[in-house]
Amino acid sequence: MGEHRVRVTQDSGSRWRRRAGEYETLAEALAAAEPGDTLTLRPGVFRENVVLDKPVTLQPAEGPGTVRLDPPSGVTLTITAAATVRDLLIEGYDSSAAAVLVTGPEATARLTGCRVDTHSAVGIEVDDRADPVLSGCTVANPAGLGLRLRGGASAAFEECEVSAAGQAGLAVLEGASARLTRCRLHHAAGAGVLLTDAGSRAELTGCEIYEIRGSGVQAESKSVGRLTECEIHRVTGNGLTLDTEAELTLVGCRLHDLPENAADLRGRSLLTLEQTNIRAFGRGALSVWDPGTRAEATGCEIEDSTGDYPAIWVSDGAQLTLADCSLHDLPDALFVLDRDSRATVTDTSFSRIRSSAVSVSSGASVALERCRVQQAGTGMWFRDHGSGGLLTGCEISDVATGVIVTKGADPVLRDCVVRGSAEAAVYVSAQGRGSFEDCRVTQGNGFGFHIIDGCRSALTRCRAEQNARAGFEFSEPGPVVEACTSDDIAPSAPASETLPAPRTAQLTSTPALAPLAQIAPIPDCRPADEALAELDALIGLATVKQEVRTLIDLIAVGRRRRQAGLKAPSLRRHLVFTGSPGTGKTTVARLYGEILASLGVLQRGHLVEVARVDLVGEHIGSTAIRTQAAFDQARGGVLFIDEAYALAPEDGARDFGREAIDTLVKLMEDHRDEVVVIVAGYTAEMERFLSANPGVSSRFSRTVAFPDYSDAELLEIARTQCLEHEYELAETTAEALLGHFSTLHRGPNFGNGRTARQVFETMVERHAMRVAQLPDPSTQDLQLLVPADLPLPLPLPRNS
């Protein structure tokens, strides 16, 4: 081996060292080297078993790949000290040994840029409390494990790659610990990452696991793992497999193209998912089994199943928690079954579900709060005895059937809405029960509440609106009804009159003794004619009145068309009001809400008026919270945003107002039939607001322009104020007042109707000052306003 020389460079920090020299073999060079020396290898193959038992540096003289270590058998490279190895190609063909072994508590070694290309039992093994750092290394070992840590060892891998492994790409055993950053593990068998034994831990950041013949990550026997911003895809087994009290946490990860389950949990294991996306899975996204097994997901998205199985399966007493998640484009979304199995779901959306969004059976229970189901076959299905739970503030829309309760199931629904069902909104049969409190069913093509077989469902303060067949249909006595209302019940029907069966709901706690109870008509608001009359009584605003009447006519006729089985026109009820201040925008918005409520389009019709200060917070995140709170306050009515253009200032690229607009657009889509939103402001400025977000202009397709009041209309407003407050205008005073209005400057700050009211208030003050000087004023003196009571003329603005 004379041609393969190793040069040893001495440590310049020591004055008492022998001179550097060159050696024919690595063994000779290592025997001569002392701590801190560097061994530089000339190109070639060294067929030696190398042992680094002192802190030296081993590196090639001419760059990566020029030096190869390839002994006939045994461990190619053993490191027991704080040595450094750079850019070597390490081979080995011993099926009973590792190619590289880092072992012992003193082995705080660094391996950089090395390639391990071997057919050994293990590519790189870290054992016996060793703690190395590997950077930019590659392992290919088709005969065995890629990386193995055991015996309480720990290791950090930075930008490393396991490109082939006959077994697991990384195995962490016996209380060892691994930290991987921006690593890739692929073309392995059994598992990309295998964690087992109590105390074993692995933390992966920015890593990719793919092309695995088995599971992406397999954790068992109380091991713990954490993956951050990692990707797992194209495996033949599960993306994640957990068993026997293992714990995995995934944050910001992506799991996709998985033929089996994205995650399979058993044996009291725990999986925590945060901001993670799961898609293109063949069997299920989450399969959670066994008592004590738990899965918790926050801010996650589950989508695009390629199979015909439920996306989430919770059974055998397992527990599931979902918060702020999205599940869409699935055959079935969530199945919970078996006694003691439970799912707790909050602020989560289910959309484009081909069959059931949520199915509860075999004694399982769910707790759903503020969840949304849209475009599904069945929204919620409670299938059999003992199955139930509590649903609060949930919305179900555009489904075949909203809620099904059968065979003794007994859920509780509070403050829930079912909208646009193709068949029944709520269907109860076959001894199903269920309690429905403050629920609303609307705009369905079938019955609202359809309860058959004498089921003893309890309905309290429920409301049915615009359902094509009837609001409540009970085929026989059984349901217990209290304070429920429907828009298909004539207000004039006597309480004792027996209405036709499709229009009747009966209360029968004991049929022979209890009187029959009936659904009452919806009583909430005054008739539309009264609100329209008040609108017509407003001074001026002829074009505005015509616009509002057109909208009302379209809504009213559309409702009658639906009742006749015809298609109704699709209406966008959100409006833009443009014009100067004081032109009656808020008043018209209030009346518009009342009219829509009287027609059954809105539940309450109340007005919530806000401005920028009510929606925009001082720090990141607070704006969305404020906007959500204002929107929630307006549910069932009108959200009126005055000076809405202030949310989109011209120089507001970093302004939180944009966040308020984005939040508002999403809320309008998620709850498009719950709230009418009216935005108001100056004409030119509102054009800027409508272009602030691509979704804004599409949601506000109709603009109503409010013109300024004429002088005569301002005078009429002042006359109305006089009548309301029991004053009189002398004819000469009216003429003088008309002239006064004609002199007012109508700039951007002109108040229109507000100005007329302010003028009236000034006249009242000047009248009081004048009449107070009279010794014994008459009733006429106390009422009559004369020209002297007019405000003093304002100076005209100077030209700039």
Side-chain angles (χ1 to χ4, degrees):
M1 290 187 59
E3 73 278 11
H4 300 313
R5 295 183 177 272
V6 182
R7 179 176 181 79
V8 177
T9 304
Q10 75 179 68
D11 181 1
S12 59
S14 173
R15 299 177 56 188
W16 306 105
R17 300 277 303 282
R18 82 281 170 275
R19 297 179 60 81
E22 293 191 359
Y23 302 86
E24 292 186 0
T25 68
L26 265 171
E28 294 172 348
L30 286 167
E34 295 186 11
D37 284 352
T38 298
L39 284 69
T40 304
L41 285 68
R42 294 182 62 182
V45 179
F46 290 81
R47 300 192 182 280
E48 304 179 49
N49 298 100
V50 178
V51 178
L52 300 182
D53 57 0
K54 58 187 74 173
V56 297
T57 297
L58 204 64
Q59 64 184 27
E62 298 184 12
T66 59
V67 174
R68 181 158 57 101
L69 305 182
D70 184 16
S73 63
V75 178
T76 302
L77 175 64
T78 302
I79 305 174
T80 63
T84 299
V85 180
R86 298 192 184 104
D87 300 331
L88 298 185
L89 175 58
I90 301 167
E91 299 181 354
Y93 295 89
D94 193 329
S95 61
S96 63
V100 177
L101 174 63
V102 185
T103 183
E106 303 299 322
T108 57
R110 290 196 67 94
L111 281 75
T112 303
C114 294
R115 176 175 177 82
V116 179
D117 194 350
T118 181
H119 285 72
S120 303
V122 185
I124 298 176
E125 179 158 22
V126 185
D127 194 6
D128 190 18
R129 295 175 293 160
D131 188 12
V133 175
L134 291 84
S135 177
C137 295
T138 301
V139 175
N141 183 25
L145 293 164
L147 308 170
R148 180 167 68 188
L149 282 70
R150 61 182 182 177
S154 62
F157 301 87
E158 301 170 354
E159 298 183 339
C160 294
E161 179 179 8
V162 175
S163 62
Q167 300 176 40
L170 167 68
V172 184
L173 323 170
E174 302 173 7
S177 175
R179 303 178 304 281
L180 282 73
T181 304
R182 297 184 300 281
C183 295
R184 295 194 301 157
L185 298 95
H186 56 95
H187 292 89
V193 174
L194 171 64
L195 305 175
T196 186
D197 303 327
S200 297
R201 305 180 65 90
E203 183 170 344
L204 286 72
T205 303
C207 297
E208 185 179 9
I209 301 171
Y210 61 100
E211 296 293 353
I212 306 296
R213 297 189 304 279
S215 297
V217 177
Q218 181 175 331
E220 55 193 33
S221 303
K222 299 184 178 180
S223 60
V224 177
R226 181 181 179 88
L227 285 72
T228 303
E229 297 182 358
C230 294
E231 184 174 9
I232 300 173
H233 60 110
R234 302 204 310 272
V235 304
T236 63
N238 301 316
L240 309 171
T241 299
L242 289 79
D243 204 347
T244 54
E245 301 182 58
E247 297 184 14
L248 280 182
T249 299
L250 276 69
V251 180
C253 294
R254 301 172 303 284
L255 286 72
H256 60 93
D257 295 298
L258 309 167
E260 294 294 324
N261 298 295
D264 185 276
L265 292 73
R266 301 169 189 265
R268 302 178 304 283
S269 58
L270 169 62
L271 174 64
T272 303
L273 303 173
E274 300 177 12
Q275 306 298 323
T276 290
N277 176 269
I278 300 175
R279 62 179 174 83
F281 45 90
R283 184 169 292 272
L286 302 176
S287 292
V288 192
W289 310 77
D290 302 337
T293 303
R294 292 181 295 144
E296 301 174 357
T298 303
C300 297
E301 184 176 20
I302 297 173
E303 59 177 325
D304 191 23
S305 170
T306 60
D308 295 317
Y309 302 91
I312 302 179
W313 180 278
V314 183
S315 66
D316 299 316
Q319 308 287 308
L320 169 75
T321 301
L322 301 178
D324 194 26
C325 294
S326 172
L327 291 83
H328 58 89
D329 297 291
L330 306 167
D332 292 283
L334 170 60
F335 270 39
V336 188
L337 61 162
D338 299 329
R339 185 177 178 85
D340 297 325
S341 297
R342 181 174 177 83
T344 302
V345 188
T346 58
D347 298 305
T348 291
S349 65
F350 303 81
S351 60
R352 298 188 295 279
I353 310 299
R354 295 194 291 276
S355 186
S356 298
V358 178
S359 174
V360 187
S361 61
S362 304
S365 67
V366 295
L368 279 73
E369 185 172 3
R370 298 185 304 277
C371 293
R372 300 171 301 282
V373 177
Q374 186 176 19
Q375 298 179 17
T378 300
M380 309 281 173
W381 192 340
F382 299 89
R383 293 177 178 264
D384 47 28
H385 182 74
S387 304
L390 174 63
L391 279 65
T392 306
C394 296
E395 300 181 9
I396 303 170
S397 61
D398 302 324
V399 296
T401 304
V403 180
I404 299 177
V405 183
T406 58
K407 299 181 181 177
D410 193 12
V412 176
L413 283 76
R414 294 177 181 156
D415 194 27
C416 295
V417 176
V418 181
R419 179 185 303 105
S421 56
E423 300 172 7
V426 175
Y427 179 75
V428 185
S429 69
Q431 289 76 54
R433 295 180 67 90
S435 297
F436 302 86
E437 304 171 11
D438 298 294
C439 294
R440 180 178 173 226
V441 296
T442 180
Q443 299 173 356
N445 289 325
F447 294 112
F449 290 89
H450 190 188
I451 303 175
I452 66 172
D453 302 330
C455 293
R456 298 284 293 171
S457 301
L459 289 77
T460 306
R461 296 181 303 278
C462 292
R463 176 168 169 150
E465 305 169 352
Q466 305 176 57
N467 294 286
R469 300 189 66 182
F472 296 81
E473 165 66 7
F474 306 154
S475 61
E476 56 190 83
V480 179
V481 179
E482 179 182 352
C484 295
T485 57
S486 176
D487 65 353
D488 66 340
I489 303 300
S492 59
S496 60
E497 181 180 346
T498 302
L499 299 178
R503 309 292 186 179
T504 305
Q506 298 178 334
L507 169 62
T508 53
S509 57
T510 305
L513 300 175
L516 297 180
Q518 298 176 339
I519 305 300
I522 294 175
D524 284 20
C525 46
R526 60 178 173 169
D529 289 344
E530 292 184 18
L532 284 168
E534 183 176 338
L535 176 67
D536 289 336
L538 295 177
I539 295 168
L541 305 177
T543 57
V544 172
K545 295 172 186 176
Q546 183 58 47
E547 286 277 3
V548 173
R549 277 196 169 275
T550 299
L551 284 170
I552 300 305
D553 290 344
L554 282 170
I555 291 169
V557 172
R559 182 184 178 192
R560 291 189 177 182
R561 284 177 60 85
R562 279 192 297 271
Q563 292 173 342
L566 302 173
K567 289 184 178 180
S570 177
L571 298 177
R572 298 188 182 275
R573 301 168 299 171
H574 308 298
L575 304 176
V576 179
F577 284 0
T578 62
S580 302
T583 49
K585 295 187 289 292
T586 304
T587 300
V588 173
R590 174 180 58 79
L591 291 172
Y592 182 58
E594 280 194 62
I595 295 167
L596 292 182
S598 68
L599 294 174
V601 176
L602 291 176
Q603 187 171 6
R604 294 175 56 195
H606 64 295
L607 180 76
V608 175
E609 183 176 1
V610 296
R612 175 187 166 89
V613 68
D614 303 300
L615 303 178
V616 177
E618 295 82 12
H619 53 81
I620 294 174
S622 61
T623 294
I625 294 173
R626 288 191 180 188
T627 305
Q628 175 79 61
F631 195 91
D632 288 343
Q633 187 182 359
R635 286 208 184 188
V638 175
L639 179 63
F640 182 80
I641 306 176
D642 199 13
E643 298 181 350
Y645 52 82
L647 297 173
E650 291 181 289
D651 57 349
R654 298 175 60 85
D655 186 84
F656 288 147
R658 304 278 178 167
E659 183 183 355
I661 295 173
D662 295 344
T663 303
L664 182 66
V665 168
K666 184 178 188 304
L667 290 170
M668 290 169 68
E669 176 61 27
D670 292 344
H671 310 281
R672 60 183 182 274
D673 294 325
E674 288 290 306
V675 177
V676 166
V677 179
I678 299 177
V679 291
Y682 292 108
T683 302
E685 286 79 354
M686 289 307 295
E687 292 178 359
R688 183 178 71 242
F689 169 80
L690 292 174
S691 63
N693 179 299
V696 170
S697 58
S698 66
R699 285 164 177 79
F700 294 97
S701 59
R702 183 179 291 268
T703 298
V704 180
F706 284 67
D708 287 342
Y709 288 112
S710 66
D711 297 339
E713 288 170 341
L714 292 175
L715 175 60
E716 194 61 31
I717 293 172
R719 287 186 186 276
T720 303
Q721 292 288 304
C722 287
L723 290 173
E724 183 178 341
H725 296 88
E726 297 184 338
Y727 284 90
E728 294 180 5
L729 279 180
E731 193 58 37
T732 53
T733 308
E735 294 176 1
L737 187 55
L738 185 62
H740 173 79
F741 285 137
S742 68
T743 65
L744 296 180
H745 176 65
R746 295 184 176 238
N749 297 321
F750 180 65
N752 281 286
R754 193 175 304 127
T755 297
R757 289 187 291 273
Q758 290 171 348
V759 168
F760 168 74
E761 291 166 0
T762 302
M763 293 176 68
V764 168
E765 293 172 3
R766 291 176 62 82
H767 167 267
M769 294 170 59
R770 176 174 57 79
V771 173
Q773 305 303 317
L774 301 177
D776 186 18
S778 64
T779 301
Q780 186 176 17
D781 291 331
L782 293 171
Q783 288 183 295
L784 190 64
L785 298 175
V786 300
D789 297 327
L790 262 66
L792 296 175
L794 296 174
L796 293 174
R798 297 180 179 179
N799 294 327
S800 55

